Amino acid sequence: MDWDREARTGLAEAVYCAGKTPAQVDAIALAALNEGRRLLLTRLVPERRAALSPHVREALDYDAISATAILGDPAAARPGSVAVVTGGLADMPAATEATRTLAFHGATATLVADVGVAGLWRLMARLEEIRRADVVIAVAGMEGALFSVLAGLVAAPVVALPVSCGTGVSAGGRLALGAALGSCAPGLVAVNIDNGFGAAQAALRILALAHPPQ
Amino acid sequence: MDWDREARTGLAEAVYCAGKTPAQVDAIALAALNEGRRLLLTRLVPERRAALSPHVREALDYDAISATAILGDPAAARPGSVAVVTGGLADMPAATEATRTLAFHGATATLVADVGVAGLWRLMARLEEIRRADVVIAVAGMEGALFSVLAGLVAAPVVALPVSCGTGVSAGGRLALGAALGSCAPGLVAVNIDNGFGAAQAALRILALAHPPQ
Amino acid sequence: MDWDREARTGLAEAVYCAGKTPAQVDAIALAALNEGRRLLLTRLVPERRAALSPHVREALDYDAISATAILGDPAAARPGSVAVVTGGLADMPAATEATRTLAFHGATATLVADVGVAGLWRLMARLEEIRRADVVIAVAGMEGALFSVLAGLVAAPVVALPVSCGTGVSAGGRLALGAALGSCAPGLVAVNIDNGFGAAQAALRILALAHPPQ
Amino acid sequence: MDWDREARTGLAEAVYCAGKTPAQVDAIALAALNEGRRLLLTRLVPERRAALSPHVREALDYDAISATAILGDPAAARPGSVAVVTGGLADMPAATEATRTLAFHGATATLVADVGVAGLWRLMARLEEIRRADVVIAVAGMEGALFSVLAGLVAAPVVALPVSCGTGVSAGGRLALGAALGSCAPGLVAVNIDNGFGAAQAALRILALAHPPQ
Amino acid sequence: MDWDREARTGLAEAVYCAGKTPAQVDAIALAALNEGRRLLLTRLVPERRAALSPHVREALDYDAISATAILGDPAAARPGSVAVVTGGLADMPAATEATRTLAFHGATATLVADVGVAGLWRLMARLEEIRRADVVIAVAGMEGALFSVLAGLVAAPVVALPVSCGTGVSAGGRLALGAALGSCAPGLVAVNIDNGFGAAQAALRILALAHPPQ
Amino acid sequence: MDWDREARTGLAEAVYCAGKTPAQVDAIALAALNEGRRLLLTRLVPERRAALSPHVREALDYDAISATAILGDPAAARPGSVAVVTGGLADMPAATEATRTLAFHGATATLVADVGVAGLWRLMARLEEIRRADVVIAVAGMEGALFSVLAGLVAAPVVALPVSCGTGVSAGGRLALGAALGSCAPGLVAVNIDNGFGAAQAALRILALAHPPQ
Amino acid sequence: MDWDREARTGLAEAVYCAGKTPAQVDAIALAALNEGRRLLLTRLVPERRAALSPHVREALDYDAISATAILGDPAAARPGSVAVVTGGLADMPAATEATRTLAFHGATATLVADVGVAGLWRLMARLEEIRRADVVIAVAGMEGALFSVLAGLVAAPVVALPVSCGTGVSAGGRLALGAALGSCAPGLVAVNIDNGFGAAQAALRILALAHPPQ
Amino acid sequence: MDWDREARTGLAEAVYCAGKTPAQVDAIALAALNEGRRLLLTRLVPERRAALSPHVREALDYDAISATAILGDPAAARPGSVAVVTGGLADMPAATEATRTLAFHGATATLVADVGVAGLWRLMARLEEIRRADVVIAVAGMEGALFSVLAGLVAAPVVALPVSCGTGVSAGGRLALGAALGSCAPGLVAVNIDNGFGAAQAALRILALAHPPQ
């Protein structure tokens, strides 16, 4: 593990569990426990978590929807706020990966759920709340129309987080990703499909700039 | 030419000029002139039109934006109305191909231009006008977010007409087409990229059902 | 749930179950039961249905082929008719999703099955029946040649519903979708791959225009 | 040049001019002229032909539609017949490349033009003529529905020749090629997009089997 | 079932089982048994076969490698011969689907296995045997180089049958299919990926032309 | 034009000229001149600029490399700094579109050119300079390795701007875009290919948060 | 098996088990055992290995991470050295397939693990070690930035081995493969995704040239 | 320019002219002339070369087929030999870019032209010549079958150089590139499409290992 990363970039090390065996995840978690370090684990699906050693499993604060686990105490609260805006229920895994990553780093996130543009009034009803945030993470799958609509309505930085829900031409999230990148709304930026962790890290870089540590 | 098509399907024959030499277009147009038939020509780009024989060229009612030409008098006015809604200036070629095709068949079209969703209030300001139409043709390129927003706001049939304007990931219109097909809004249908002629034909099929000839 | 949608667009709310946990589907269904509302559930595969609470499971009118379930009584019968035309047995899941969605909204659908174009006389034998419908939903996978042939033979609006059956280059339904969009037949429109629900919604929008509520 | 190929495979050498400079084409043609050999040149677009030396240019029997040229006398007539069936005018370049290649090898080809499936009766009217051929070359662009319809109607070998005409999703010919390969009709085979030369060569291999040289 | 197809095209009806439930396959097989008809079933994977009724299962001549089953007696032997040439062991499922389809129609097939071009001498050693066939079906996955090499060495019609074995860029068979279509060898034709049935049907069409029924 | 956008989002209206005729661009520019408004024009390639009316052409501050033009005085200087880091000469058009957009809005940009990772020491030599910026815009084509390396070295928000330079598999910029989105470096965000305008707008949204107007 | 290959190319025969049944693998292994030949088996996943006959299973030196097995004694040690450099834990299966293939042929490999470019100093710390190798195999997934960085830092031949780890746009390894091919670093070559065997074979060809057998 | 590269990697700096204006190329060439440095320029198409200053133009040793230019004297001859093997005339631009790059660095290249596998005996006739080379660069477009055949016949390292000649499915070179990567022949490596420069650089890295400078 690259324990110095936090000092260098302000972002703590995290463990991406998708490409690792349970034994490898166990070893990393035990090392962190022994050294008293905090650790964020992502893409730890329930089956893989079940295969960890009991000692590690009990030490983890686990969330099944986002497949994330946190070892150790949360970071001290940071100033600044992030709105995480979703189109529907299928966006929750990625959205929660983002909110959990933010929480791990001490950042406050407001979840504005289920405001997809096929029912525009739902989004309009919560617009003021969204506008109060320093940074907006917009989460959407299918055709990703939420990204353009939202970026045209707020002045804050908007990070588009496309998700892989959808069928036929929208399956896999490429269409939603394209909607973020090809948007006619100015100043929208995107992260990879389902990359809630990355969207949160981008938000943290921006928050750190806006609210630099004293 | 398949002169019986109009009797069979209610839609007059049209000439798609993109895959034809000027001599071939000339021959078809002259035959129509000689037989006193009306004819719609599509994808007749200015350079190709300039290469037609003077006799044909003068007989054509030509529109350069849509690259369409009409030979003969317009059809008698049909009942029913179509709203053609566009996101921006780059949508005009396809949108005008649609309105000219509608006009050729005697149908009334209302153009609601420049109401892309990055500035949502522009669309909202004209919503009542759009809602008065029997059929809506929505025209958009880039990320095509207009399709979903519009289909969520009106009860009429909505035909999405994706256009090939855009750059990078949205170049060529595939992204806008995907946005129409992968939309979370219910009951949206799509035609091929830049196919204003086809969108109009679909609208004419629907109008003929709603307002059958007496 | 967006219970006002029916008033606004004439189309009742439906629940797309593919991206939802059984607990989420259960909660939505229970709310509908408690409020005495009708509900259509789509993409409820047998395994997911089996994981619902017994109370909800018993209340559902379930169809395994289309993976749809209906809660509550059918809507009052609407005027107008839809022909659902299929190429082969593999088209039945999407075709049935369409007919069930139509039935949920009170619309009458005629199924014309197994008339793929490799045996053209089968289609010809049933052409008159198809021509009597107000709207045609054409369902086909593989190379989707049925769409072009059918749209050249009928004057009604034709909604192409491509399905994901096929192998090699036609696997996944993109080829059939392309055949619908790239067709040389005039006025054909398409919905997403396997989207029987969307095809039915489009048909309902058209029927409502042709047979407006008194 | 591989002058022995004809002895070995029964197919005379041809020169694919697309990847060659005028000087290279000139040199090959002059060698053939000097040695008194027959030669077929394909993809010799008018601009490239204009850049050849006058001596070669005059010796060529040139056809601009198919961009082919023939040097020397036609081969002796072979027994057997090929029907070349096209959907529309845009199929003529590839179809003519096929008929010219057949003629170069002494084979008889019947052109059945403009019988696309959007107007099915046109195809039906000429079916008996098509059925008399030993081999059928079916030529179509756009969605390529002609391939499936035709292969279901005749018993002879059918070679699908997809062409690159089309727009949006059908641009470039991949959709028509897919329609040939993914067809539900039994025993259809395909060659590359616009490869009229290859389709003719396949037909010649089949004719040679059916009518072996005495 | 389309029992008249054999009279019309010379090719007996077959049942493609991949898109059908065991109950549907059972019903078709029972109807054939009751009517005393012969039937070829393809893509009947072992799990699906195991779910058939015992009566049907026992009546089937089943081959697990090709996932094909034959009901009834083989057709009378036809004149003519087909060579089925494969690159390696992974080509056997598709190759055997082809040879079983040929056998069902009474045609003789010679299997020339394991002669991939990375070891060219293996192919050379069996070339005379291949050249004796009326038609060659070449079967290859990965990069499909066998198609070009073989078509340059024999004069008979060569049907390329690409298969889906391979990894990385060659996974799924698209690369092998492309190699067949994009080949520099003259007169090669292709069928869809893994479509052993289609390759055999094409060969049967050609054989019927070369050896017409008396 | 949407003249209120600046009030709403802090970003002035811009004119994307790629999809507009010279007459349309002229009309927009004249309206701005008459109303005394500032205007940024992007994708105004030299040929299109040459076709503008002399009056407009003279009023424009034009830059050919970036194909941008500015009408009116620059905005008042904003606090905050942006580093625009490029891999090579081919990145200059997009990079300059970004720096010109920033300048139009009064923001200061430092160009750190020609520090591609194939010669890592060039990047290292200028790292301190880059680290002093509030926001980093990284510009790269080809394989886009610069994005990952840079995001691992700085703590500031990094906006990846992929460009379309490259050949073969990297032609068109998709590979560089993928490198930005699929990066193993935390918190990197991306805009569309060649979208220097969008990268600058994103940077401006971030700067406005970090240095809010007093 | 092609037992003469080793004599001809210097590379011993290997068995690619992915496309073979356990019975086929068993038969090949037994033949090798009986003839006293050495054999390398690749892509022998644990489930397939478990289905082998006990006699064969016990004779195999098996490694589960790389899914490789070796039958017989290692080859005599060759001169020359290879550095296998990886970005992270997910690269180990492909990297180990490479090192095991090298070991089977008697070549020495040094593993330099976990030096991905998001933490550049990890790579720098081990650069001298890498520079001592005759050939470098660089192993990376996701965006594959390691390839360009490494090829710019060493003078030895560098073989890029892209791996299929990654998510969203980098899933499947195509992005990493593209990064290797589209790299701005001179003289980098690539093998197929996850093809550790092929990378090792390429390294062996190079080593044999540099250190020819006496 | 990175003048130290040669010392570090043994490969002299080259100028890729495709993404540079004539003025930029001029400036670089003049600097080299003034400093007495040797320089290789690639992708300098004739039109761009014609736009250079006369002084630079005259100093260049230019080759139009490969679009390369050399400034200064060739490097001292290196030991070792490279065979550059091509399938046809269309491979010459890339093949010559490779041979010119090799010559610039003092390496000897033997061109074995026009030995495509559709006429296998042409390749066989020159096999001994090819086998004498230390390194083989195989150049092919279309379906790229040459790569597999060649790598199965020689023991030396083989670098596949796919070229963009071809039509339909093989247009652009992706198919040939895939053939190189997906090959069943062991130890083949590939460079980007048309990247003759890169293939030569890879060969130079290998030669330097086999024949290290004394």
Side-chain angles (χ1 to χ4, degrees):
Chain A
M1 300 302 294
D2 173 16
W3 301 120
D4 295 334
R5 174 176 293 174
E6 192 157 6
R8 203 176 61 248
T9 66
L11 301 172
E13 177 76 57
V15 181
Y16 178 77
C17 301
K20 299 191 176 63
T21 62
Q24 291 170 331
V25 174
D26 248 351
I28 295 170
L30 282 170
L33 278 172
N34 289 344
E35 301 177 37
R37 290 180 182 279
R38 304 172 55 244
L39 201 62
L40 171 66
L41 300 100
T42 63
R43 307 291 163 106
L44 183 67
V45 291
E47 306 74 45
R48 190 157 302 183
R49 178 204 173 215
L52 296 180
S53 65
H55 178 54
V56 166
R57 214 161 54 224
E58 276 155 34
L60 296 176
D61 160 19
Y62 185 69
D63 173 67
I65 292 279
S66 60
T68 54
I70 292 174
L71 209 67
D73 298 322
R78 292 181 174 218
S81 64
V82 182
V84 176
V85 182
T86 77
L89 271 174
D91 304 325
M92 290 308 292
T96 312
E97 189 181 278
T99 56
R100 294 261 296 171
T101 301
L102 290 167
F104 176 74
H105 288 88
T108 305
T110 306
L111 185 70
V112 179
D114 243 334
V115 293
V117 297
L120 205 59
W121 53 97
R122 294 180 298 186
L123 176 60
M124 292 307 190
R126 302 197 61 182
L127 193 53
E128 283 319 303
E129 191 178 351
I130 299 169
R131 281 183 170 149
R132 279 194 293 274
D134 288 330
V135 182
V136 176
I137 295 175
V139 194
M142 303 183 83
E143 91 287 35
L146 178 64
F147 303 137
S148 290
V149 171
L150 202 49
L153 292 170
V154 306
V158 180
V159 178
L161 169 50
V163 302
S164 57
C165 74
T167 59
V169 298
S170 66
R174 292 236 168 203
L175 185 59
L177 171 60
L181 293 165
S183 171
C184 51
L188 191 58
V189 291
V191 294
N192 201 358
I193 298 160
D194 292 331
N195 190 6
F197 173 73
Q201 298 262 319
L204 288 165
R205 285 183 184 246
I206 298 170
L207 284 185
L209 179 70
H211 307 279
Q214 304 302 310
Chain B
M1 299 303 294
D2 173 15
W3 300 120
D4 295 334
R5 174 176 292 173
E6 190 157 9
R8 204 176 62 248
T9 66
L11 302 171
E13 178 77 56
V15 181
Y16 178 78
C17 302
K20 301 191 175 62
T21 63
Q24 291 170 330
V25 174
D26 247 350
I28 295 170
L30 282 171
L33 277 171
N34 289 343
E35 302 177 36
R37 293 180 181 279
R38 306 170 53 244
L39 200 63
L40 172 66
L41 301 100
T42 63
R43 308 289 164 109
L44 183 66
V45 290
E47 304 76 44
R48 191 157 302 186
R49 178 203 172 217
L52 296 181
S53 65
H55 178 53
V56 166
R57 214 162 55 222
E58 276 154 36
L60 296 175
D61 161 18
Y62 184 70
D63 173 68
I65 293 279
S66 61
T68 55
I70 292 173
L71 209 64
D73 298 323
R78 295 182 173 216
S81 65
V82 181
V84 176
V85 182
T86 76
L89 271 174
D91 304 324
M92 289 310 290
T96 312
E97 189 182 276
T99 56
R100 294 261 297 171
T101 301
L102 290 167
F104 177 73
H105 287 87
T108 305
T110 306
L111 185 70
V112 180
D114 241 334
V115 294
V117 298
L120 205 57
W121 53 98
R122 295 180 297 185
L123 175 60
M124 291 309 190
R126 303 198 61 183
L127 193 52
E128 282 320 302
E129 192 178 351
I130 298 169
R131 281 183 170 150
R132 280 195 293 272
D134 288 331
V135 182
V136 176
I137 295 175
V139 195
M142 302 182 82
E143 91 288 35
L146 179 63
F147 303 137
S148 290
V149 170
L150 203 48
L153 291 172
V154 306
V158 180
V159 179
L161 169 50
V163 302
S164 57
C165 75
T167 58
V169 297
S170 66
R174 293 235 167 204
L175 185 58
L177 171 59
L181 294 164
S183 171
C184 50
L188 191 58
V189 292
V191 294
N192 200 358
I193 298 159
D194 292 329
N195 191 5
F197 173 73
Q201 298 263 319
L204 287 165
R205 286 182 183 245
I206 296 170
L207 284 185
L209 178 69
H211 306 279
Q214 303 301 312
Chain C
M1 298 303 294
D2 174 14
W3 301 119
D4 295 333
R5 174 176 293 174
E6 191 158 6
R8 203 176 61 250
T9 65
L11 301 171
E13 177 77 57
V15 182
Y16 178 77
C17 302
K20 299 189 176 65
T21 63
Q24 291 170 331
V25 175
D26 248 350
I28 294 170
L30 282 170
L33 278 171
N34 289 343
E35 301 176 37
R37 291 180 181 278
R38 304 171 56 244
L39 200 63
L40 171 66
L41 301 99
T42 63
R43 307 290 164 106
L44 183 65
V45 290
E47 305 74 47
R48 191 158 301 183
R49 177 202 172 218
L52 297 181
S53 65
H55 177 54
V56 166
R57 215 161 54 222
E58 277 155 34
L60 296 176
D61 160 19
Y62 184 70
D63 173 68
I65 292 280
S66 60
T68 55
I70 293 173
L71 208 66
D73 298 322
R78 294 184 174 214
S81 65
V82 182
V84 176
V85 182
T86 76
L89 272 173
D91 304 325
M92 290 309 292
T96 312
E97 189 182 277
T99 56
R100 294 261 296 171
T101 300
L102 290 167
F104 177 73
H105 287 88
T108 304
T110 305
L111 185 70
V112 180
D114 242 334
V115 294
V117 297
L120 205 57
W121 53 95
R122 294 180 297 186
L123 176 61
M124 291 308 189
R126 301 196 64 183
L127 192 53
E128 283 320 302
E129 191 178 351
I130 299 169
R131 281 185 170 148
R132 279 195 293 274
D134 289 330
V135 181
V136 176
I137 295 176
V139 195
M142 304 181 81
E143 91 289 34
L146 179 63
F147 303 137
S148 290
V149 171
L150 203 48
L153 292 171
V154 306
V158 180
V159 179
L161 169 50
V163 303
S164 57
C165 75
T167 58
V169 297
S170 65
R174 293 235 167 203
L175 184 59
L177 171 59
L181 294 165
S183 172
C184 49
L188 191 59
V189 292
V191 295
N192 201 358
I193 298 160
D194 292 329
N195 190 6
F197 173 74
Q201 298 262 320
L204 288 164
R205 285 182 183 245
I206 297 170
L207 285 185
L209 179 69
H211 307 277
Q214 302 301 312
Chain D
M1 297 304 293
D2 173 16
W3 300 120
D4 295 332
R5 175 176 292 173
E6 191 157 8
R8 204 175 63 248
T9 67
L11 302 171
E13 178 77 55
V15 181
Y16 178 78
C17 302
K20 301 191 175 62
T21 63
Q24 291 170 330
V25 174
D26 248 350
I28 295 170
L30 282 170
L33 278 171
N34 289 342
E35 302 176 34
R37 293 180 180 278
R38 307 172 52 244
L39 200 63
L40 171 66
L41 301 100
T42 63
R43 309 289 165 106
L44 183 66
V45 291
E47 304 75 45
R48 192 158 302 184
R49 178 203 173 217
L52 297 180
S53 65
H55 178 54
V56 166
R57 215 161 55 222
E58 277 153 35
L60 296 176
D61 161 17
Y62 185 69
D63 173 67
I65 292 280
S66 60
T68 55
I70 292 174
L71 208 66
D73 298 322
R78 294 183 174 216
S81 65
V82 182
V84 176
V85 183
T86 75
L89 273 174
D91 304 324
M92 288 310 290
T96 311
E97 188 182 277
T99 56
R100 295 261 295 172
T101 301
L102 290 167
F104 177 73
H105 287 87
T108 306
T110 307
L111 185 69
V112 181
D114 242 333
V115 294
V117 298
L120 205 59
W121 53 98
R122 295 180 297 186
L123 175 60
M124 291 308 189
R126 303 198 61 184
L127 193 53
E128 283 319 302
E129 191 178 351
I130 299 169
R131 281 184 170 149
R132 280 194 293 273
D134 289 331
V135 182
V136 177
I137 295 176
V139 195
M142 303 182 82
E143 90 289 36
L146 178 64
F147 303 136
S148 290
V149 170
L150 203 49
L153 292 171
V154 306
V158 181
V159 178
L161 168 50
V163 302
S164 58
C165 74
T167 58
V169 298
S170 65
R174 293 236 166 204
L175 184 58
L177 172 59
L181 294 165
S183 171
C184 50
L188 191 58
V189 292
V191 294
N192 200 358
I193 298 160
D194 292 329
N195 190 5
F197 173 74
Q201 298 262 320
L204 288 165
R205 286 182 183 245
I206 296 170
L207 285 184
L209 179 69
H211 307 279
Q214 303 302 311
Chain E
M1 299 302 295
D2 174 13
W3 300 121
D4 295 333
R5 173 175 294 174
E6 190 158 8
R8 204 176 59 250
T9 66
L11 301 172
E13 177 76 58
V15 182
Y16 177 78
C17 302
K20 299 190 177 62
T21 64
Q24 291 170 331
V25 174
D26 248 350
I28 294 170
L30 282 170
L33 277 172
N34 290 343
E35 302 176 35
R37 291 180 182 279
R38 304 171 56 244
L39 200 63
L40 172 65
L41 300 100
T42 63
R43 307 290 163 106
L44 182 67
V45 290
E47 305 73 46
R48 192 158 300 185
R49 177 203 173 217
L52 297 180
S53 66
H55 178 54
V56 166
R57 215 160 54 220
E58 278 155 33
L60 296 175
D61 161 19
Y62 184 71
D63 173 67
I65 292 280
S66 59
T68 55
I70 292 174
L71 209 66
D73 298 322
R78 295 182 174 217
S81 65
V82 182
V84 176
V85 182
T86 75
L89 272 174
D91 304 324
M92 289 310 291
T96 311
E97 189 181 276
T99 57
R100 295 261 297 171
T101 300
L102 290 167
F104 176 73
H105 288 87
T108 305
T110 305
L111 185 70
V112 179
D114 242 333
V115 293
V117 298
L120 204 57
W121 54 96
R122 294 179 299 186
L123 175 61
M124 291 308 189
R126 302 196 62 183
L127 192 54
E128 282 320 301
E129 191 178 351
I130 298 169
R131 281 184 171 150
R132 280 195 292 273
D134 289 330
V135 182
V136 176
I137 295 175
V139 195
M142 305 182 79
E143 91 289 34
L146 178 63
F147 304 137
S148 291
V149 170
L150 202 48
L153 292 172
V154 305
V158 180
V159 178
L161 168 51
V163 302
S164 56
C165 75
T167 59
V169 298
S170 66
R174 293 235 166 203
L175 184 59
L177 172 58
L181 294 164
S183 172
C184 50
L188 191 59
V189 292
V191 294
N192 201 357
I193 298 160
D194 291 331
N195 190 6
F197 173 74
Q201 297 263 319
L204 288 165
R205 286 182 183 246
I206 297 170
L207 284 185
L209 179 69
H211 307 278
Q214 304 301 310
Chain F
M1 298 303 295
D2 173 16
W3 301 120
D4 296 334
R5 174 175 292 173
E6 189 157 7
R8 204 176 61 249
T9 66
L11 302 172
E13 179 76 55
V15 181
Y16 178 78
C17 301
K20 301 192 175 61
T21 63
Q24 291 170 331
V25 174
D26 248 350
I28 294 169
L30 282 170
L33 278 172
N34 290 343
E35 301 177 38
R37 293 181 181 277
R38 306 171 54 244
L39 201 62
L40 172 66
L41 301 100
T42 63
R43 308 289 164 107
L44 183 66
V45 290
E47 304 75 46
R48 191 157 301 187
R49 178 203 172 216
L52 297 180
S53 65
H55 178 54
V56 165
R57 214 161 55 222
E58 276 154 35
L60 295 176
D61 160 19
Y62 184 70
D63 172 68
I65 292 279
S66 60
T68 55
I70 292 174
L71 210 65
D73 298 322
R78 293 182 174 215
S81 65
V82 181
V84 176
V85 182
T86 76
L89 271 175
D91 304 324
M92 289 310 291
T96 313
E97 189 182 277
T99 56
R100 293 262 295 172
T101 301
L102 290 166
F104 176 73
H105 287 87
T108 304
T110 305
L111 185 70
V112 179
D114 242 334
V115 293
V117 298
L120 205 58
W121 53 97
R122 295 181 296 186
L123 176 60
M124 292 309 191
R126 301 196 62 183
L127 192 54
E128 282 320 302
E129 190 178 351
I130 298 169
R131 281 184 170 150
R132 279 194 294 272
D134 288 331
V135 181
V136 175
I137 295 177
V139 195
M142 303 183 82
E143 90 288 34
L146 178 65
F147 304 137
S148 290
V149 170
L150 202 48
L153 292 172
V154 306
V158 180
V159 178
L161 168 51
V163 303
S164 57
C165 75
T167 59
V169 298
S170 67
R174 293 236 167 202
L175 184 59
L177 172 59
L181 294 165
S183 170
C184 50
L188 191 58
V189 292
V191 295
N192 201 358
I193 299 160
D194 291 330
N195 191 5
F197 173 74
Q201 298 263 318
L204 288 164
R205 285 183 184 246
I206 296 170
L207 284 185
L209 179 70
H211 306 280
Q214 302 303 310
Chain G
M1 299 302 295
D2 173 16
W3 301 120
D4 295 333
R5 173 175 293 173
E6 191 157 6
R8 204 176 60 250
T9 65
L11 301 171
E13 177 77 57
V15 182
Y16 178 77
C17 302
K20 299 191 176 62
T21 63
Q24 291 170 331
V25 174
D26 248 350
I28 295 170
L30 282 170
L33 278 171
N34 290 342
E35 302 177 37
R37 291 180 183 279
R38 304 171 55 243
L39 201 63
L40 171 66
L41 301 99
T42 63
R43 306 291 164 107
L44 182 67
V45 290
E47 305 75 45
R48 191 157 300 185
R49 177 203 173 216
L52 297 180
S53 65
H55 178 55
V56 166
R57 215 161 53 222
E58 276 155 34
L60 296 175
D61 160 19
Y62 185 70
D63 173 67
I65 292 279
S66 60
T68 55
I70 293 174
L71 208 66
D73 298 323
R78 292 181 174 218
S81 64
V82 181
V84 177
V85 182
T86 76
L89 272 174
D91 304 324
M92 289 309 292
T96 312
E97 189 181 277
T99 56
R100 294 262 296 172
T101 301
L102 290 167
F104 176 74
H105 288 87
T108 306
T110 307
L111 185 70
V112 179
D114 242 333
V115 293
V117 298
L120 205 59
W121 53 96
R122 295 180 297 186
L123 175 61
M124 291 307 189
R126 302 198 60 184
L127 192 53
E128 282 320 302
E129 191 177 352
I130 299 169
R131 281 182 171 153
R132 279 194 293 273
D134 288 330
V135 182
V136 176
I137 295 176
V139 195
M142 303 183 81
E143 91 288 35
L146 178 64
F147 303 137
S148 291
V149 171
L150 201 49
L153 293 171
V154 306
V158 179
V159 178
L161 168 51
V163 302
S164 58
C165 75
T167 60
V169 298
S170 66
R174 292 235 168 203
L175 185 58
L177 172 59
L181 294 164
S183 171
C184 50
L188 191 58
V189 292
V191 294
N192 201 358
I193 299 159
D194 292 331
N195 190 6
F197 173 74
Q201 298 263 319
L204 288 164
R205 285 183 185 245
I206 298 170
L207 285 185
L209 179 69
H211 306 279
Q214 304 301 310
Chain H
M1 298 303 294
D2 173 16
W3 300 120
D4 296 333
R5 175 176 292 173
E6 191 158 6
R8 204 175 63 249
T9 67
L11 302 171
E13 178 76 55
V15 181
Y16 177 77
C17 301
K20 300 191 176 61
T21 63
Q24 291 170 330
V25 175
D26 249 350
I28 295 171
L30 282 171
L33 278 171
N34 290 342
E35 302 177 37
R37 293 181 181 277
R38 306 171 53 245
L39 200 63
L40 171 66
L41 300 99
T42 64
R43 308 289 164 106
L44 182 68
V45 291
E47 304 75 46
R48 191 157 302 183
R49 177 203 173 217
L52 297 181
S53 66
H55 178 54
V56 166
R57 214 160 55 222
E58 277 155 35
L60 296 176
D61 161 17
Y62 184 68
D63 173 67
I65 293 279
S66 60
T68 54
I70 293 174
L71 209 65
D73 299 322
R78 293 183 175 217
S81 65
V82 181
V84 176
V85 182
T86 76
L89 271 174
D91 305 324
M92 289 309 292
T96 312
E97 189 182 278
T99 55
R100 295 260 296 170
T101 300
L102 290 167
F104 177 73
H105 288 86
T108 305
T110 306
L111 185 69
V112 179
D114 243 332
V115 294
V117 298
L120 205 58
W121 53 97
R122 296 180 295 186
L123 176 60
M124 291 308 187
R126 302 196 63 184
L127 193 54
E128 283 320 302
E129 191 178 351
I130 298 169
R131 281 184 170 148
R132 280 195 293 273
D134 288 331
V135 181
V136 176
I137 295 177
V139 194
M142 303 182 82
E143 91 288 34
L146 179 64
F147 303 137
S148 291
V149 170
L150 203 48
L153 293 171
V154 306
V158 180
V159 178
L161 167 51
V163 302
S164 57
C165 74
T167 58
V169 299
S170 66
R174 292 236 168 204
L175 184 58
L177 172 59
L181 294 164
S183 171
C184 50
L188 191 58
V189 292
V191 295
N192 201 358
I193 298 160
D194 292 330
N195 190 7
F197 173 73
Q201 298 263 318
L204 288 164
R205 285 183 184 245
I206 297 170
L207 285 185
L209 179 68
H211 306 278
Q214 305 301 310

